[in-house]
Amino acid sequence: MEYIRIAKDSIDAEHICCAMSGKQALTKEEWLKRRFDEGLVFYRSAERGKCFIEYIPAENEWVPIQADGYLHINCLWIAGAMKGHGCSNDLLREYVRDAKERGRTGPCIQPDKKFLKLAGVQA
């Protein structure tokens, strides 16, 4: 599968493939635009609405966590039809690659750690 990284300068031309619609989606898009300067990454499948990962340096996170030096995953979403095709592994590999490139410590995510273990990511 092919993936794209949405950035501040490209978000207006892209679909953010979030489960929100209408005014919620517009609010989410505006929130993303403000967060890109803080290091937010929105990486998704080139095929619209199938899967994405969204993460940010933990010290810029909007939820109260203590994880300085980490990149915190806000959301990792895979559409039902795409489950079992390796998309989550692809997205997590890109996240780990980016974390290493930025000199970050490693994965920081709130969902089930069992999933990370199955993906081969040390939590």
Side-chain angles (χ1 to χ4, degrees):
M1 179 167 289
E2 186 180 335
Y3 298 91
I4 61 172
R5 187 169 172 162
I6 297 175
K8 190 175 186 176
D9 62 344
S10 65
I11 192 168
D12 288 331
E14 296 291 347
H15 176 67
I16 59 169
C17 63
C18 194
M20 300 175 180
S21 63
K23 288 183 181 180
Q24 285 181 322
L26 292 174
T27 301
K28 171 77 181 226
E29 189 174 313
E30 290 304 315
W31 180 84
L32 288 169
K33 286 179 185 178
R34 291 191 308 271
R35 306 308 297 263
F36 284 125
D37 289 337
E38 297 174 352
L40 179 90
V41 170
F42 194 93
Y43 191 70
R44 72 166 176 86
S45 61
E47 188 175 343
R48 185 178 160 143
K50 298 300 180 190
C51 58
F52 73 91
I53 190 169
E54 172 190 319
Y55 56 88
I56 192 167
E59 53 272 20
N60 295 334
E61 184 55 87
W62 60 279
V63 295
I65 60 171
Q66 289 185 319
D68 289 354
Y70 287 81
L71 286 178
H72 182 256
I73 298 173
N74 291 331
C75 192
L76 173 61
W77 182 80
I78 311 297
M82 297 306 296
K83 291 182 179 176
H85 295 281
C87 298
S88 59
N89 291 335
D90 292 344
L91 295 170
L92 281 172
R93 272 193 294 277
E94 174 60 19
Y95 162 80
V96 169
R97 185 210 56 76
D98 193 20
K100 287 179 182 178
E101 189 174 282
R102 294 186 194 201
R104 292 292 170 153
T105 303
C108 178
I109 189 170
Q110 291 172 320
D112 188 353
K113 288 184 180 181
K114 186 170 92 175
F115 167 76
L116 288 176
K117 186 176 180 181
L118 287 171
V121 176
Q122 184 70 23

